[in-house]
């Protein structure tokens, strides 16, 4: 296995001479976007110039078999599926892979990335010292592995034959290839490299013991034959995005967990449970994991799915620590939860339920955040109130509490207790009147202007009579981004308030599309102010750099004819919401987890499912990125992007 510099395709397109043309007439960009409110900005007090430093040369929309970055940048391949986390050195051979070996190698389909710095003078389990560090040259890369694709991992399958016909040996490997990896990495003269054999290196998989904590822990709906206590569960699955805490822990989301379970919900005697399992897509047509591991068969263990669909918190600095599933944050198809941490105030966390017509959520901790008191802080996410978002006409909004006994959340509606409210959070939020959204993905707060941004990736199922102010397009193919503005001034916003203002930050899509219903709109920018490569669709993950620029990762641009990638834009000032194209994926790939080092000089990205295309298989892939080696299949990989002159990424 080799690491280090990869051949990049770097390129340059002429910058759009009209980029800096400003919109003089309010409203022009909204003409095509019925109901959308594209307001001038989150802050009253703009900071001119602060975000207008995205000086890189934009790359073009492409669709080919490699990745693309701007001229003057390089990428290091940091980790690929199968790379060893131990110090042994056998090259990766997927045809000889076993489950025990996969358990010590980097997993499949890398998604969320957290970079957790390592203090120079501290060792394992000294999390308090590490989380004060801003070391940007040595740290832990904490990476989700969202799901497995046997037809691209193993010989002999088509996508169809793999679905219900994966062999037991291969399912055993899959259950070790999903979950999460912790890998020590360091910046060397040859680029970013993993430290094989580091004592921090760890895999979380479907056999890792985890604790269930919070109001639903121990409830009868979480009890199984294997765990009558309802407090211990094996593993995590569907790990999409996540978040980080200032006390040095990592949050990982369980999103599409329903696909891991097989069986017919209609055969479950308990109507509440049957409805619950239907809502998460459990069906007899799902993967055949239940044939190998009976707990994934709901006819054997009807409560096992209730032990998935949570946020998981764990300590990457202590390789012996037991991850905890946080029932306080509700159970749904979690994209992730990201925190707003202000000293002396409750922790506020924002997250999304990534399914059509599902909701945006906020959690407010009962206790307050005390910087440095990590023993205290580590309990904050276990107790508090979960809320669902209601986005009203005219840009007002409210957070609606999911509290048993309040409003409709009573026994009369099937909620015995708070555990029921949290296990069936979707049903509770709907009864409260939360606004059904266009698949909420990342929800993250800009550290500079203190506003919160919601990525809504798409919703082809929204009918014309189902549009609302915050989801203004029927059959929304391109997605959009909302800006939540809590009360107060920039930097002092009250994220604990139960009311907020909101506006549409951008509507994805081509600003010059012929069909007005599909036309993109980017803040107040005129269509001519968006370069031919600056528009995008299907926002999914988001990150902010230290200057407050927004970096959006997409999932779905291939249906618009070009690769998924990264687009960067200001959130304030004259170029608010005017995107520039920074990174493009190899065909079939989706980009996840943009994550900066604290110094802003490295940007990590996940390329998930490269070469995932019709009829593309292990035996006949459309390409073999990133190795381009006939002995290796395409491999999901994490890249580190940096400037050749060592400067800030994006400046
Ligand atoms: Fe796994 Fe919501 O994307
Ligand atoms: Ca996602
Ligand atoms: Ca993010
Ligand atoms: Ca995605």
């Amino acid at each position: 296995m080799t690491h280090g510099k990869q051949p990049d395709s770097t390129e340059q397109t002429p910058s759009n001479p009209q980029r800096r043309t400003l919109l003089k007439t309010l409203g022009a960009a909204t003409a095509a976007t019925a109901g959308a409110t594209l307001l001038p900005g989150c802050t009253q007090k703009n900071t001119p110039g602060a975000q207008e430093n995205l000086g890189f040369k934009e790359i073009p929309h492409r669709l080919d078999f490699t990745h693309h970055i701007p001229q003057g940048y390089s990428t290091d391949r940091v980790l690929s599926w199968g790379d060893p986390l131990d110090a042994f050195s056998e090259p990766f051979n997927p045809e000889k892979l076993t489950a025990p070996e996969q358990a010590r190698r980097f997993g499949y389909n890398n998604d969320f990335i957290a970079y957790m710095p390592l203090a120079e003078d501290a060792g394992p389990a000294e999390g308090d010292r590490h989380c004060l560090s801003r070391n940007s040259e040595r740290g832990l890369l904490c990476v989700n592995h969202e799901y497995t694709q046997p037809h691209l991992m193993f010989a002999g399958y088509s996508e169809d034959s793999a679905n219900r016909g994966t062999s037991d040996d291969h399912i055993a490997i899959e259950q070790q290839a999903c979950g999460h990896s912790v890998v020590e990495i360091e910046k060397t003269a040859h680029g970013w490299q993993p430290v094989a054999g580091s004592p921090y290196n760890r895999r979380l998989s479907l056999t890792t013991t985890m604790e269930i904590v919070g109001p639903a822990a121990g409830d009868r709906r979480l009890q199984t034959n294997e765990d009558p206590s309802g407090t211990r569960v094996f593993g995590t699955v569907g790990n999409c995005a996540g978040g980080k805490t200032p006390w040095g822990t990592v949050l990982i989301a369980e999103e599409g967990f329903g696909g891991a379970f097989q069986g017919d919900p209609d055969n479950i005697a308990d109507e509440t449970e049957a409805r619950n399992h239907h809502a998460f897509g459990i069906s007899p047509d799902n993967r055949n994991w239940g044939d190998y591991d009976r707990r994934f068969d709901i006819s054997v263990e009807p409560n096992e799915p209730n032990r998935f669909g949570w946020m998981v918190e764990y300590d990457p600095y202590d390789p012996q620590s037991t991850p905890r599933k946080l029932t306080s944050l509700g159970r749904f198809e979690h994209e992730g939860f990201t925190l707003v941490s202000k000293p002396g105030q409750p922790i506020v966390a924002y997250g999304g339920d990534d399914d059509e017509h599902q909701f945006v959520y906020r959690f407010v901790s009962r206790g307050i955040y005390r910087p440095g008191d990590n023993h205290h802080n580590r309990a904050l996410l276990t107790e508090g109130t979960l809320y669902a978002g209601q986005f009203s006409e005219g840009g007002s909004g409210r957070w609606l509490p999911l509290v048993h006994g309040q409003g409709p959340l009573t026994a009369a509606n099937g909620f015995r207790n708070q555990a029921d409210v949290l296990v069936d959070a979707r049903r509770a939020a709907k009864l409260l009147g939360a606004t059904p959204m266009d698949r909420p993905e990342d929800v993250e707060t800009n550290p500079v202007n203190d506003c919160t941004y919601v990525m809504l990736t798409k919703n082809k199922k929204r009918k014309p009579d189902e549009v609302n102010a915050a989801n203004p397009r029927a059959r929304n193919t391109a997605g959009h981004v909302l800006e939540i503005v809590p009360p107060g001034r920039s930097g002092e916003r009250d994220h604990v308030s139960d009311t907020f203002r909101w506006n549409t930050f951008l509507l994805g899509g081509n600003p010059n599309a012929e069909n007005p219903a599909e036309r993109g709109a980017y803040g107040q920018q005129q269509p001519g102010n968006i370069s031919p490569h600056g528009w995008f669709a299907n926002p999914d993950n988001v990150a902010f750099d230290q200057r407050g620029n927004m970096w959006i990762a997409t999932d779905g641009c291939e249906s618009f004819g070009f690769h998924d990638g990264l687009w960067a834009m200001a959130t304030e000032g004259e170029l608010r919401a005017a995107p520039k194209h920074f990174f493009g994926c190899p065909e079939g790939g989706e980009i996840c987890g943009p994550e900066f080092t604290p110094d802003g000089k490295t940007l990590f990205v996940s390329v998930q499912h490269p070469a995932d295309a019709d009829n593309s298989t292990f035996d006949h892939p459309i390409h073999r990125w990133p190795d381009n080696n006939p002995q290796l299949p395409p491999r999901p990989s994490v890249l580190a992007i940096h400037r050749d002159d060592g400067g800030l990424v994006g400046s």
Side-chain angles (χ1 to χ4, degrees):
M1 181 194 65
T2 56
H3 285 288
K5 298 277 184 209
Q6 297 296 308
D8 300 310
S9 169
T10 63
E11 49 211 313
Q12 166 180 8
T13 50
S15 59
N16 186 332
Q18 294 176 299
R19 271 197 79 78
R20 289 179 178 272
T21 306
L22 301 181
L23 178 71
K24 300 294 184 196
T25 320
L26 282 176
T30 62
T33 56
T37 321
L38 295 137
L39 294 178
C42 170
T43 54
Q44 296 298 317
K45 185 171 86 43
N46 286 347
T47 45
Q51 296 182 341
E52 294 176 20
N53 47 10
L54 290 165
F56 63 87
K57 297 199 170 72
E58 184 170 63
I59 65 166
H61 288 168
R62 300 274 292 267
L63 189 58
D64 58 17
F65 294 163
T66 191
H67 62 283
H68 299 273
I69 53 174
Q71 196 175 55
Y73 285 79
S74 298
T75 58
D76 310 324
R77 188 193 343 157
V78 187
L79 286 158
S80 296
W81 170 49
D83 285 354
L85 307 193
D86 278 337
F88 63 75
S89 58
E90 294 93 347
F92 178 54
N93 181 345
E95 302 208 58
K96 291 187 176 166
L97 188 60
T98 63
E101 201 187 337
Q102 176 64 74
R104 294 303 303 164
R105 289 179 181 266
F106 195 62
Y108 202 73
N109 270 346
N110 32 238
D111 197 306
F112 170 76
I113 301 170
Y115 174 84
M116 305 296 282
L118 282 171
E120 289 298 347
D121 54 350
E126 292 185 81
D128 293 4
R129 291 166 70 190
H130 292 302
C131 64
L132 294 172
S133 170
R134 292 180 58 80
N135 190 345
S136 295
E137 301 196 343
R138 180 172 166 256
L140 303 178
L141 210 59
C142 306
V143 183
N144 276 346
H145 301 293
E146 187 178 19
Y147 64 107
T148 45
Q149 295 174 287
H151 66 291
L152 286 163
M153 297 170 71
F154 311 117
Y157 294 112
S158 68
E159 189 170 3
D160 281 350
S161 73
N163 188 45
R164 301 278 309 144
T166 312
S167 73
D168 283 359
D169 286 349
H170 287 159
I171 293 173
I173 294 171
E174 287 184 82
Q175 295 199 348
Q176 297 303 323
C178 63
H180 187 85
S181 292
V182 182
V183 189
E184 182 179 343
I185 58 167
E186 61 184 355
K187 196 175 183 180
T188 73
H190 305 290
W192 282 94
Q193 295 189 338
V195 180
S198 162
Y200 295 101
N201 291 357
R202 183 180 188 188
R203 284 296 321 281
L204 308 180
S205 73
L206 265 170
T207 53
T208 307
T209 301
M210 302 188 175
E211 192 183 351
I212 302 171
V213 298
D219 186 78
R220 67 168 164 78
R221 293 181 66 189
L222 277 74
Q223 297 168 1
T224 64
N225 289 311
E226 192 175 44
D227 172 31
S229 77
T231 61
R232 306 283 286 181
V233 62
F234 273 144
T236 183
V237 76
N239 305 101
C240 189
K244 300 189 288 189
T245 72
W247 49 92
T249 60
V250 171
L251 299 174
I252 61 182
E254 297 185 327
E255 190 190 50
F257 65 93
F261 291 89
Q262 68 183 52
D264 188 348
D266 291 334
N267 291 339
I268 305 281
D270 184 320
E271 273 181 33
T272 301
E273 230 54 279
R275 178 170 51 179
N276 165 28
H277 294 342
H278 271 302
F280 291 105
I282 297 173
S283 103
D285 300 328
N286 286 1
R287 299 291 312 280
N288 60 324
W289 282 12
D291 299 342
Y292 164 77
D293 184 344
R294 299 295 278 167
R295 71 189 167 116
F296 291 103
D297 180 342
I298 59 168
S299 70
V300 177
E301 283 290 8
N303 284 348
E304 187 72 13
N306 293 341
R307 294 144 63 82
F308 293 84
W310 305 102
M311 291 299 301
V312 183
E313 182 181 17
Y314 83 96
D315 178 358
Y317 295 118
D318 180 1
Q320 305 305 320
S321 60
T322 302
R324 304 183 304 169
K325 297 201 177 187
L326 303 169
T327 62
S328 46
L329 296 177
R331 175 175 170 270
F332 40 88
E333 293 190 51
H334 279 281
E335 176 68 21
F337 254 96
T338 60
L339 269 57
V340 179
S341 319
K342 298 188 179 181
Q345 294 186 29
I347 290 291
V348 175
Y350 292 100
D353 179 355
D354 181 7
D355 207 351
E356 288 98 349
H357 306 296
Q358 291 304 326
F359 309 108
V360 175
Y361 291 87
R362 181 192 69 162
F363 172 82
V364 180
S365 68
R366 181 168 166 187
I368 60 165
Y369 169 50
R370 295 191 204 137
D373 186 353
N374 285 357
H375 178 74
H376 163 85
N377 294 334
R378 279 172 193 238
L380 287 175
L381 296 179
T382 63
E383 221 181 323
T385 305
L386 184 69
Y387 300 78
Q390 185 181 61
F391 297 78
S392 302
E393 299 284 341
S396 64
R398 279 199 303 158
W399 294 110
L400 310 169
L402 275 71
V403 176
H404 182 253
Q406 291 188 13
L409 307 183
T410 59
N413 285 315
F415 297 100
R416 289 170 302 137
N417 54 21
Q418 185 64 13
D420 273 347
V421 171
L422 294 167
V423 169
D424 295 326
R426 286 180 162 182
R427 201 166 70 79
K430 187 174 180 180
L431 277 171
L432 286 169
T435 303
M437 311 295 283
D438 287 347
R439 287 189 52 192
E441 298 258 21
D442 257 2
V443 184
E444 194 153 329
T445 301
N446 183 336
V448 173
N449 70 10
D450 211 9
C451 292
T452 302
Y453 296 83
V454 183
M455 306 296 116
L456 296 156
T457 199
K458 64 184 159 193
N459 185 356
K460 293 180 186 173
K461 293 183 183 169
R462 189 175 292 280
K463 301 189 181 100
D465 63 354
E466 292 173 331
V467 300
N468 58 50
N471 299 272
R473 300 199 279 201
R475 199 175 181 281
N476 180 4
T477 56
H480 58 293
V481 175
L482 300 185
E483 181 180 67
I484 292 174
V485 186
R489 296 164 61 87
S490 181
E492 302 167 4
R493 296 195 183 282
D494 181 9
H495 288 265
V496 179
S497 166
D498 288 342
T499 61
F500 58 88
R501 303 288 302 171
W502 66 270
N503 66 84
T504 306
F505 182 73
L506 64 81
L507 297 171
N510 186 342
N512 298 302
E514 281 185 24
N515 181 352
E518 295 177 355
R519 211 169 278 165
Y522 295 82
Q524 298 174 81
Q525 306 298 325
Q526 289 181 329
N529 203 31
I530 306 300
S531 87
H533 310 290
W535 68 270
F536 63 91
N538 309 123
D540 188 331
N541 295 132
V542 67
F544 295 92
D545 65 26
Q546 54 189 231
R547 294 154 292 160
N549 294 304
M550 177 190 279
W551 294 69
I552 290 179
T554 66
D555 175 12
C557 289
E558 285 190 15
S559 64
F560 292 81
F562 53 92
H563 51 210
D564 278 310
L566 269 181
W567 280 260
M569 68 211 77
T571 56
E572 298 294 334
E574 294 173 346
L575 292 177
R576 171 178 156 90
K580 283 182 78 173
H581 189 13
F582 183 83
F583 179 87
C585 281
E587 185 169 350
E590 163 192 351
I591 178 172
C592 317
E595 169 81 340
F596 290 93
T597 47
D599 67 1
K601 294 180 176 177
T602 298
L603 172 60
F604 297 103
V605 295
S606 275
V607 175
Q608 195 185 62
H609 55 73
D612 181 9
D614 288 347
N615 302 315
S616 181
T617 63
F618 179 96
D619 301 303
H620 300 288
I622 58 166
H623 60 73
R624 295 177 185 274
W625 183 93
D627 304 280
N628 299 314
N629 174 344
Q631 305 304 314
L632 286 170
R635 292 201 289 166
S637 300
V638 173
L639 306 178
I641 307 173
H642 43 84
R643 270 172 70 136
D644 296 338
D645 66 4
L648 289 180
V649 171
S651 61

